[in-house]
Amino acid sequence: MRITEVEALNLVVPTKVDKKPISLAYDEQLTKIVFDSYKSTLVRITTDDGLTGVGECLAKLTPRAISAIVEDAFRPILIGQDPLDVECIWEMMYASMRHRGHSKGFMIEAMSGVDIALFDLIGKALKLPVYKLLGGCFRNRLDAYASSLRLRDTETIVKEAVAYVEQGFGAIKMKLGRGPEEDIKRVAAVRDAIGYDIQLTVDANCAYDVATAINMGRELEKHQVYWFEEPIPPEDIDGYVRLSSSLDIAIAAGETEFTRYGFRDLIAKRAVDIVQPDICRAGGFSECKKIAAMASAYNMPYAPHTGGESAVGIAASIQLAAAIPNFLTYEYMRSDWSETHANPLRNSLTLEPVETFADGYIEVPDKPGLGIELNEEIVSKYRVNT
Ligand code: CA
């Protein structure tokens, strides 16, 4: 089996967001730029025996940057290769730019989509779900939490929280970032509405400094919040170490990190208690399996980040989550940036829905590869490059 074609598909769905849905610095200037559309770059790889694999690169700002890397830099590496040589291909892609400093960012997001597409191909060729290729199924359903209550008014988020409980969720995440006092008041209101039997986690999207986060963490502990996600900016590893050692509440982070090299510091320094790689950003299956193994050596759980993934990335996240021993809980996205306009890339990009939820769990499908078929109508409707 040899690769004959590699294609990157940029999908963009314009939407309208006036108020930032999550914490964002310079939000007055940036909200419209950052949240103006739902975006994704898919990678489609074809082989000489007629099989097609699909993957996703997280493409949050400029999908064109990522599709250019896939088609200009990686396509020549991939054409003629056997998809089963997936780790060799990963290393070749990484080697193409690592000595020039491109060992994070768009480069690795592009590699992630290629790696996921290769695993989809291998699964289809061998007629096995990807979790079988990764070592087998630790669980055929994933403990899932509702993500997330956004930075909307308290009345709205309390109503949403109660609705999640009624839908069968045993765990809910809420966004922070309105200032420490306001945040804690909102946490108290949500806790009051859902009671203490529901697990509550919070996500500050890097809104605070270390001292503020330590004080907030102590308040959050009083409300029995399970984890405090991204309290501070990702570059401040020493700050994370200080936070983790100062607080009892679990510190979670990693959605902005890339590759085993990036996660090495986060894990080995015990900067966090829970790692949250995104398979469409951190390096695909090949790399996330290594990150999970490294975390397991430190007895550290792995809670996949899925926010912003399309149905393709979600399908990949589910396969990985089934196949790693230290999986903790699955981020089941229940809200979008826009309050009124749901993301069709998550809901309609595949012919069948990728997430089947019941009683607090997401089912793991056992079809070959990622177990999905693209809805070509949706692809052509939102495709911006041809
Ligand atoms: Ca997050």
Side-chain angles (χ1 to χ4, degrees), residues 22 145 147-148 173 175 202-206 227 229-230 252-256 276 305-307 331 333:
I22 63 172
Y145 66 93
S147 180
S148 308
K173 186 160 89 183
K175 295 292 187 187
V202 298
D203 180 1
N205 289 101
C206 315
W227 83 50
E229 180 173 330
E230 290 201 303
E255 70 182 77
T256 60
Q276 299 178 297
H305 173 260
T306 72
E331 179 171 37
M333 295 304 296

Short mmCIF file of all heavy atoms in Angstrom, two decimals, residues 22 145 147-148 173 175 202-206 227 229-230 252-256 276 305-307 331 333, ligand 1:
data_model
loop_
_atom_site.label_atom_id
_atom_site.label_comp_id
_atom_site.label_asym_id
_atom_site.label_seq_id
_atom_site.Cartn_x
_atom_site.Cartn_y
_atom_site.Cartn_z
N ILE A 22 -14.97 32.89 26.26
CA ILE A 22 -13.97 32.42 27.22
C ILE A 22 -13.03 33.57 27.51
O ILE A 22 -13.04 34.57 26.81
CB ILE A 22 -13.17 31.20 26.68
CG1 ILE A 22 -12.36 31.60 25.44
CG2 ILE A 22 -14.08 30.03 26.35
CD1 ILE A 22 -11.40 30.53 24.95
N TYR A 145 -17.77 14.44 30.68
CA TYR A 145 -18.31 15.61 31.38
C TYR A 145 -18.83 16.64 30.39
O TYR A 145 -18.36 16.70 29.25
CB TYR A 145 -17.27 16.23 32.32
CG TYR A 145 -16.07 16.86 31.66
CD1 TYR A 145 -16.04 18.22 31.34
CD2 TYR A 145 -14.93 16.11 31.37
CE1 TYR A 145 -14.93 18.81 30.76
CE2 TYR A 145 -13.81 16.69 30.78
CZ TYR A 145 -13.81 18.04 30.48
OH TYR A 145 -12.71 18.63 29.90
N SER A 147 -19.05 20.13 28.76
CA SER A 147 -18.12 21.24 28.61
C SER A 147 -18.73 22.25 27.62
O SER A 147 -19.11 21.86 26.53
CB SER A 147 -16.79 20.71 28.08
OG SER A 147 -15.85 21.72 27.91
N SER A 148 -18.82 23.44 27.99
CA SER A 148 -18.61 24.10 29.28
C SER A 148 -19.67 25.17 29.46
O SER A 148 -20.21 25.68 28.47
CB SER A 148 -17.28 24.84 29.32
OG SER A 148 -16.19 24.07 28.96
N LYS A 173 -18.12 21.28 33.51
CA LYS A 173 -17.04 22.26 33.59
C LYS A 173 -17.59 23.66 33.34
O LYS A 173 -18.48 23.82 32.50
CB LYS A 173 -15.97 21.93 32.55
CG LYS A 173 -14.73 22.80 32.65
CD LYS A 173 -13.53 22.14 31.97
CE LYS A 173 -13.44 22.48 30.50
NZ LYS A 173 -12.33 21.78 29.84
N LYS A 175 -16.46 27.92 32.71
CA LYS A 175 -15.40 28.86 32.40
C LYS A 175 -15.30 29.93 33.49
O LYS A 175 -16.31 30.39 34.01
CB LYS A 175 -15.69 29.56 31.06
CG LYS A 175 -15.69 28.63 29.86
CD LYS A 175 -14.31 28.10 29.57
CE LYS A 175 -14.28 27.30 28.27
NZ LYS A 175 -12.98 26.65 28.07
N VAL A 202 -13.41 23.75 36.83
CA VAL A 202 -13.41 25.13 36.30
C VAL A 202 -12.21 25.31 35.37
O VAL A 202 -11.19 24.64 35.51
CB VAL A 202 -13.37 26.18 37.42
CG1 VAL A 202 -14.60 26.08 38.31
CG2 VAL A 202 -12.09 26.08 38.25
N ASP A 203 -12.37 26.25 34.44
CA ASP A 203 -11.35 26.49 33.40
C ASP A 203 -11.19 28.00 33.22
O ASP A 203 -12.12 28.68 32.78
CB ASP A 203 -11.84 25.85 32.09
CG ASP A 203 -10.86 26.03 30.95
OD1 ASP A 203 -9.78 26.64 31.16
OD2 ASP A 203 -11.17 25.56 29.83
N ALA A 204 -10.02 28.51 33.58
CA ALA A 204 -9.81 29.97 33.53
C ALA A 204 -9.19 30.43 32.22
O ALA A 204 -9.01 31.63 32.03
CB ALA A 204 -8.92 30.39 34.70
N ASN A 205 -8.87 29.50 31.31
CA ASN A 205 -8.23 29.90 30.04
C ASN A 205 -7.13 30.94 30.24
O ASN A 205 -7.09 31.97 29.57
CB ASN A 205 -9.28 30.39 29.03
CG ASN A 205 -10.14 29.25 28.51
OD1 ASN A 205 -11.27 29.07 28.97
ND2 ASN A 205 -9.62 28.45 27.61
N CYS A 206 -6.29 30.68 31.23
CA CYS A 206 -5.05 31.46 31.45
C CYS A 206 -5.31 32.89 31.93
O CYS A 206 -4.47 33.78 31.68
CB CYS A 206 -4.19 31.49 30.19
SG CYS A 206 -4.01 29.92 29.37
N TRP A 227 -11.13 20.12 39.55
CA TRP A 227 -9.87 20.61 38.98
C TRP A 227 -9.97 22.07 38.58
O TRP A 227 -11.05 22.58 38.30
CB TRP A 227 -9.36 19.72 37.86
CG TRP A 227 -9.91 19.88 36.46
CD1 TRP A 227 -10.02 21.04 35.73
CD2 TRP A 227 -10.35 18.84 35.58
NE1 TRP A 227 -10.51 20.78 34.47
CE2 TRP A 227 -10.72 19.44 34.35
CE3 TRP A 227 -10.47 17.45 35.70
CZ2 TRP A 227 -11.22 18.70 33.26
CZ3 TRP A 227 -10.95 16.73 34.62
CH2 TRP A 227 -11.32 17.36 33.42
N GLU A 229 -8.48 24.38 35.78
CA GLU A 229 -7.82 24.23 34.47
C GLU A 229 -7.22 25.54 34.00
O GLU A 229 -7.87 26.59 34.09
CB GLU A 229 -8.86 23.71 33.47
CG GLU A 229 -8.34 23.49 32.06
CD GLU A 229 -9.40 22.82 31.18
OE1 GLU A 229 -10.24 22.03 31.70
OE2 GLU A 229 -9.41 23.08 29.96
N GLU A 230 -6.01 25.49 33.48
CA GLU A 230 -5.29 26.65 32.94
C GLU A 230 -5.51 27.93 33.76
O GLU A 230 -5.99 28.93 33.23
CB GLU A 230 -5.70 26.90 31.49
CG GLU A 230 -5.18 25.84 30.54
CD GLU A 230 -5.12 26.33 29.09
OE1 GLU A 230 -6.17 26.75 28.57
OE2 GLU A 230 -4.04 26.30 28.50
N ALA A 252 -5.02 21.31 36.13
CA ALA A 252 -5.07 20.65 34.82
C ALA A 252 -4.63 21.62 33.74
O ALA A 252 -4.97 22.80 33.80
CB ALA A 252 -6.50 20.17 34.54
N ALA A 253 -3.87 21.14 32.77
CA ALA A 253 -3.46 21.98 31.64
C ALA A 253 -2.83 21.11 30.57
O ALA A 253 -2.59 19.92 30.78
CB ALA A 253 -2.48 23.07 32.07
N GLY A 254 -2.56 21.71 29.43
CA GLY A 254 -1.87 21.00 28.36
C GLY A 254 -2.50 21.17 26.99
O GLY A 254 -1.93 20.74 26.00
N GLU A 255 -3.66 21.84 26.89
CA GLU A 255 -4.29 21.98 25.58
C GLU A 255 -3.46 22.83 24.62
O GLU A 255 -3.64 22.75 23.42
CB GLU A 255 -5.71 22.55 25.70
CG GLU A 255 -5.76 24.00 26.11
CD GLU A 255 -7.21 24.49 26.26
OE1 GLU A 255 -7.86 24.17 27.28
OE2 GLU A 255 -7.67 25.19 25.36
N THR A 256 -2.56 23.67 25.18
CA THR A 256 -1.74 24.52 24.31
C THR A 256 -0.36 23.91 24.07
O THR A 256 0.47 24.52 23.41
CB THR A 256 -1.51 25.89 24.96
OG1 THR A 256 -0.83 25.69 26.20
CG2 THR A 256 -2.81 26.62 25.23
N GLN A 276 -3.78 17.48 29.60
CA GLN A 276 -4.91 17.61 28.68
C GLN A 276 -4.46 17.86 27.23
O GLN A 276 -4.78 18.89 26.64
CB GLN A 276 -5.79 18.77 29.13
CG GLN A 276 -6.38 18.61 30.52
CD GLN A 276 -7.19 19.82 30.92
OE1 GLN A 276 -6.65 20.91 31.05
NE2 GLN A 276 -8.49 19.63 31.12
N HIS A 305 -8.31 17.05 25.68
CA HIS A 305 -8.97 18.30 25.30
C HIS A 305 -9.62 18.09 23.94
O HIS A 305 -8.97 17.58 23.02
CB HIS A 305 -7.93 19.42 25.20
CG HIS A 305 -8.48 20.71 24.66
ND1 HIS A 305 -8.31 21.10 23.35
CD2 HIS A 305 -9.20 21.69 25.26
CE1 HIS A 305 -8.91 22.28 23.16
NE2 HIS A 305 -9.46 22.66 24.31
N THR A 306 -10.89 18.46 23.79
CA THR A 306 -11.56 18.30 22.48
C THR A 306 -12.20 19.60 22.01
O THR A 306 -12.76 19.63 20.91
CB THR A 306 -12.67 17.22 22.53
OG1 THR A 306 -13.77 17.73 23.30
CG2 THR A 306 -12.19 15.92 23.15
N GLY A 307 -12.16 20.67 22.82
CA GLY A 307 -12.83 21.93 22.48
C GLY A 307 -12.31 22.45 21.14
O GLY A 307 -11.11 22.56 20.96
N GLU A 331 -13.94 15.13 27.41
CA GLU A 331 -14.56 16.45 27.29
C GLU A 331 -15.64 16.42 26.20
O GLU A 331 -15.32 16.44 25.01
CB GLU A 331 -13.50 17.51 26.93
CG GLU A 331 -14.11 18.89 26.78
CD GLU A 331 -13.07 20.01 26.63
OE1 GLU A 331 -12.03 19.79 25.99
OE2 GLU A 331 -13.33 21.11 27.17
N MET A 333 -18.21 18.39 24.39
CA MET A 333 -18.56 19.79 24.19
C MET A 333 -20.07 19.94 24.01
O MET A 333 -20.65 19.34 23.12
CB MET A 333 -17.84 20.35 22.95
CG MET A 333 -16.33 20.42 23.06
SD MET A 333 -15.72 21.36 24.47
CE MET A 333 -16.31 22.99 24.07
CA CA B 1 -9.71 24.51 28.36
#
